[in-house]
Amino acid sequence: MDRVYNFAAGPSTMPEEALATAAREMLNYNGTGMSVMEMSHRSKVYQEIFDHTAALVRELMAVPEDYEILLLQGGATGQFAAIPLNLLGAGRSADYIDSGNFAHGALTEAKKYGDIRCVASSREENYRRIPVWNEADFNPDAAYFYITTNNTIFGTRYATLPETGKVPLVADMSSNILSEVYDVRRFGVIYAGAQKNIGPAGLTLVIVRKDLLGHAQPICPKVFDWTIMAEKGSMLNTPPTYAIYMAGLCLEWLKKQGGVAAIEKVNVEKAKLLYDLLDESSFYRPTADPASRSRMNVTFTTPDPDTDAAFVKAAAAHGLANLKGHRLVGGIRASIYNAMPIEGVRALVRFMKDFETEHR
Ligand SMILES: *Cc1c(COP(=O)(O)O)cnc(C)c1O
């Protein structure tokens, strides 16, 4: 069977070129006579693979030297706990914006470890927009301020970032990291699970400003302690070796596309193809507020749930896979991360027009 256009939210489509290289190198990496999966993480050859991936992250995101790049395990969900455990010293408090289900999960988890305040929420509107915030509500003495830059389930994105002054901004970028240019200096911590826009699942990227290290709570598990992990080059224990190698191949591909600024232009164009169609149609209805629209996850419905289901099924038969929306929103979700080619989005647009003609 041919490859399909895979619109899954995560794990998600990866650059074909990266997969082909991995296939070629599967049994014998670079004359070592073994697969990357079979190598000691303490070997020289593996250290080079690790350093290459970390260096590509630094280069592509222009990460300044006073930030550590950590390649960890435990997923974004692990970091929901690691963030307060690393940043929330005794007697301190942190501010959160509740913009989606993952933001809510982060907030709930953090409450186990300290004093957490929710300063804005769109939960009552089923997260159809990024909540409106009022800077007067921010705690100027907070240990950190937490946001989720792209809300994967609801298809929303911060068009502007909150101004938090001296309070470090901590961002879950799991579903839009490397898809648009961010100035890393605006953040104290950026983190992401890899399985949407970096590479395969199993790897968690944490970028942390060095002055924020050294404040972990005594109960912080060692594997989640950024300070210890930074000292150990992310190898306190065995890192997710193969996922790090695969991420390196995906980042090489991204570099070849011209890097983040170049892919951002393509991403804007891809999203526009879909939103233009949704705005012109009286059959499809976009579910996210226009001012909060994501470029990575486009959410919409047809006139009724039965037609949504028929849409997902017919699309799959046309080689357009995994378009079913998340159960919290229903309808349809097209995840169009970096590795989704614009041809895939064009094919989806053509299918949507034909489907509308047949079902109107
Ligand atoms: C997918 C996702 C998560 C959860 O990631 P895991 O790696 O499965 O823990 C958290 N936040 C956002 C924004 C996501 O898209």
Side-chain angles (χ1 to χ4, degrees), residues 74-78 80 102 148 150-152 172 174-175 191 193 195-196:
T77 306
F80 292 176
F102 291 117
T148 310
N150 185 78
N151 298 278
T152 324
D172 177 356
S174 292
S175 53
Y191 78 97
Q195 65 273 23
K196 283 127 190 175

